[in-house]
């Protein structure tokens, strides 16, 4: 089973791609697709076809002539049609004549106010039926996408009304944290009951999706504070090794599911206690480790630290590396990412918001970031910065 990514989603498109990837592993059906609509046009955002190609990404259809219109206009929380060629609502539609007779199941994707965004739909052999557990998984994914859609809508509405970024983040923070509390509470309750292995997988999906939303929230908060200049620089003693161990521990579960090895390579002969901004360093390492785990399907992710004391100064120059055996990227693209700043909006070739936050935080610490990578041979990112050494009082 494909593990849910532990990182945040830059856009609705990334979230829908993740949902399609997860559902294609746990549902043994021919076609899964997610469609968006504006009440006029129905657009296929993402799709999966196991054998017979019935739906393609980017296909458009007038809303009233689509199966999705039936789902969103249906009073129940889902619509199931056993045979589309004989059902009175679908037998005369052009789409039925085009793709032929199939079973159809649709789940609406709605925001909290009930407004519909689109649908998650299943097409399979005539009279094929989904199990109750499979229906629960579909509905959970629809709720998750509803939260992502609402987040993006709130951002757009806020920009249109000239809200300040911090006001926007405060509002979104309350909404998302409330939603995550509900999801985690329900997940915890379910995990205390007797569950089959398949049901435990579904609970893991919900937990991973919640973790992704929290990662997104934290990155948005950090980016907003950096942009507004309302970020403090703190210098307190902290244990660097313990902090690095804690960062890796966040990914223990997902690494076990992927058979990935998480390694800590500690090469400091000195005390692990330094004086600096632990929260900033921790955020940078989480962002880099999260990327490494997300794009590594086999092998390992290694977090390492080296140090060299600065001459005639109670300071140490640190080199912290995150190395993976993942898919890697081209040297030219990595060079562009290292040398240029990108905005927060996702686009082709944009390394993501977490990467930008790491660069901005490192800049505040007068540090540098370098890296090496090749497609298929993994990536190694190195952060260099100086911290004060901790001297205990006599």
């Amino acid at each position: 089973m494909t593990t849910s990514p532990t990182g945040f989603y830059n856009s609705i498109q990334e979230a829908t791609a993740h949902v399609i990837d997860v559902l294609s592993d746990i549902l043994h059906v021919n076609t899964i697709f997610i469609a968006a609509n504006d009440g006029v046009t129905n657009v296929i955002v993402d799709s999966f076809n196991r054998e017979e190609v019935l739906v393609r990404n980017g296909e458009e259809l007038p809303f009233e002539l689509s199966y999705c219109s039936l789902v969103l206009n249906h009073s129940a929380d889902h619509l199931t049609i056993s045979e589309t060629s004989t059902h009175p609502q679908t037998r005369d539609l052009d789409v039925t004549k085009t793709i032929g007779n199939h079973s159809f199941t649709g789940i609406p994707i709605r925001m909290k106010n009930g407004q519909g965004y689109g649908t998650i739909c299943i097409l399979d052999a005539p009279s094929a039926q989904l199990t109750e557990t499979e229906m629960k998984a579909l509905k959970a994914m629809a709720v998750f996408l509803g939260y992502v859609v609402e987040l993006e809508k709130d951002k757009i509405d806020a920009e249109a009304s000239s809200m300040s970024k911090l006001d926007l983040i405060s509002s979104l923070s309350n909404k998302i944290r409330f939603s995550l509390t509900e999801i985690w509470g329900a997940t915890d309750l379910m995990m205390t009951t007797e569950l089959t292995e398949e049901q435990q997988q579904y609970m893991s999906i919900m937990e991973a999706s919640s973790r992704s939303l929290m990662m997104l929230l934290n990155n948005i908060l950090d980016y907003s504070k950096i942009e507004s200049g309302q970020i403090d620089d703190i210098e307190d003693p902290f244990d660097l090794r313990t902090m690095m161990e804690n960062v890796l521990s966040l990914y223990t579960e997902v690494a076990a599911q992927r058979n990935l090895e998480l390694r800590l390579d500690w090469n400091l002969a000195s005390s692990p206690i330094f004086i600096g901004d632990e929260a900033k360093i921790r955020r940078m390492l989480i962002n880099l480790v999260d990327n490494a785990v997300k794009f590594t399907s086999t092998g390992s992710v290694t977090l390492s630290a080296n140090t060299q004391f600065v001459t005639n100064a109670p300071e140490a120059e640190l080199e912290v590396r995150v190395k993976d055996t993942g898919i890697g990227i081209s040297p030219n693209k990595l060079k562009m990412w290292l040398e240029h700043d990108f905005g927060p909006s996702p686009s082709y070739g944009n390394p993501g918001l977490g990467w930008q936050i790491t660069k901005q935080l490192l800049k505040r610490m007068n540090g540098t970031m370098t890296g090496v990578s090749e497609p298929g041979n993994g990536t190694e990112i190195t952060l260099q910065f100086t911290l004060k050494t901790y001297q205990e009082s006599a």
Side-chain angles (χ1 to χ4, degrees):
M1 174 180 172
T2 301
T3 304
S4 174
T6 59
F8 61 90
Y9 300 107
N10 289 316
S11 65
I12 294 174
Q13 287 71 28
E14 285 191 8
T16 56
H18 163 54
V19 169
I20 289 290
D21 185 45
V22 170
L23 291 178
S24 65
D25 276 348
I26 63 177
L27 302 181
H28 299 291
V29 298
N30 186 78
T31 299
I32 307 167
F33 66 92
I34 297 173
N37 75 83
D38 56 6
V40 177
T41 304
N42 196 74
V43 181
I44 305 302
V45 178
D46 214 318
S47 63
F48 166 83
N49 296 277
R50 195 175 302 278
E51 295 178 359
E52 184 182 8
V53 178
L54 301 176
V55 175
R56 294 179 175 84
N57 292 1
E59 287 185 336
E60 297 184 7
L61 195 67
F63 176 62
E64 294 300 330
L65 301 181
S66 68
Y67 291 165
C68 295
S69 66
L70 304 177
V71 177
L72 291 172
N73 291 330
H74 194 55
S75 58
D77 60 0
H78 71 279
L79 174 64
T80 298
I81 296 175
S82 180
E83 297 196 23
T84 55
S85 65
T86 60
H87 195 279
Q89 289 184 293
T90 56
R91 64 189 178 194
D92 296 325
L93 291 177
D94 288 343
V95 63
T96 303
K97 298 174 183 178
T98 300
I99 67 175
N101 188 31
H102 295 87
S103 63
F104 170 80
T105 298
I107 309 291
I109 301 170
R110 298 187 186 278
M111 291 176 279
K112 287 183 179 179
N113 62 3
Q115 180 182 350
Y117 163 78
T119 54
I120 302 178
C121 298
I122 304 296
L123 288 168
D124 206 5
S127 301
Q129 294 183 345
L130 297 175
T131 66
E132 181 180 353
T133 303
E134 289 172 335
M135 286 296 297
K136 287 181 179 179
L138 280 174
K139 292 175 182 178
M141 292 295 99
V143 171
F144 165 61
L145 287 178
Y147 290 142
V148 176
V149 170
E150 184 148 345
L151 174 64
E152 186 154 305
K153 178 181 180 299
D154 283 344
K155 288 162 61 179
I156 294 172
D157 289 346
E159 289 172 0
S161 60
S162 299
M163 287 176 59
S164 73
K165 286 186 178 180
L166 286 181
D167 287 341
L168 167 62
I169 298 308
S170 177
S171 174
L172 292 178
S173 174
N174 290 333
K175 291 182 180 181
I176 298 174
R177 291 182 189 279
F178 179 76
S179 299
L180 287 175
T181 300
E182 291 183 315
I183 295 173
W184 280 336
T187 303
D188 288 342
L189 288 174
M190 285 292 292
M191 294 298 284
T192 62
T193 64
E194 293 186 7
L195 300 174
T196 65
E197 182 179 350
E198 186 178 28
Q199 288 170 333
Q200 289 177 342
Q201 289 178 338
Y202 296 153
M203 290 299 100
S204 296
I205 292 170
M206 293 180 66
E207 183 182 7
S209 298
S210 301
R211 185 167 57 245
S212 296
L213 282 172
M214 183 59 75
M215 187 72 173
L216 171 62
L217 172 63
N218 290 335
N219 278 313
I220 292 175
L221 284 169
D222 287 343
Y223 191 85
S224 180
K225 288 179 181 179
I226 292 172
E227 286 288 281
S228 63
Q230 298 188 28
I231 184 170
D232 298 324
D233 295 318
I234 299 173
E235 287 195 346
D236 285 333
F238 72 98
D239 188 325
L240 178 62
R241 177 166 185 155
T242 298
M243 184 264 282
M244 292 171 67
E245 291 173 345
N246 290 339
V247 169
L248 288 179
S249 71
L250 296 174
Y251 300 89
T252 301
E253 182 179 351
V254 67
Q257 292 173 343
R258 291 189 177 187
N259 293 320
L260 285 180
E261 183 180 3
L262 296 180
R263 300 173 179 169
L264 176 62
D265 188 3
W266 183 260
N267 297 312
L268 276 67
S270 64
S271 165
I273 309 299
F274 295 90
I275 298 175
D277 198 325
E278 180 181 7
K280 286 189 181 68
I281 300 171
R282 185 174 187 273
R283 170 53 54 192
M284 291 190 296
L285 296 186
I286 287 176
N287 286 335
L288 294 179
V289 171
D290 190 82
N291 260 358
V293 171
K294 184 188 302 183
F295 295 108
T296 304
S297 57
T298 59
S300 63
V301 172
T302 302
L303 180 58
S304 62
N306 297 276
T307 186
Q308 181 177 359
F309 285 92
V310 178
T311 306
N312 298 325
E315 296 178 328
E317 182 177 329
L318 286 165
E319 287 188 347
V320 179
R321 292 186 176 88
V322 178
K323 183 177 182 179
D324 65 66
T325 58
I327 61 175
I329 57 176
S330 70
N332 288 339
K333 179 175 285 188
L334 179 59
K335 184 173 185 253
M336 179 180 66
W337 288 1
L338 291 169
E339 294 179 354
H340 299 282
D341 291 329
F342 296 81
S345 300
S347 61
Y348 178 77
N350 188 331
L353 189 55
W355 181 277
Q356 300 310 315
I357 290 170
T358 299
K359 290 183 67 176
Q360 292 297 324
L361 292 177
L362 193 60
K363 186 182 297 184
R364 291 183 67 90
M365 297 172 60
N366 296 316
T368 59
M369 179 161 62
T370 58
V372 292
S373 183
E374 287 185 6
N377 291 321
T379 302
E380 182 179 275
I381 301 298
T382 301
L383 305 182
Q384 294 179 300
F385 50 89
T386 300
L387 291 178
K388 295 179 181 177
T389 58
Y390 179 69
Q391 305 293 330
E392 292 186 2
S393 302

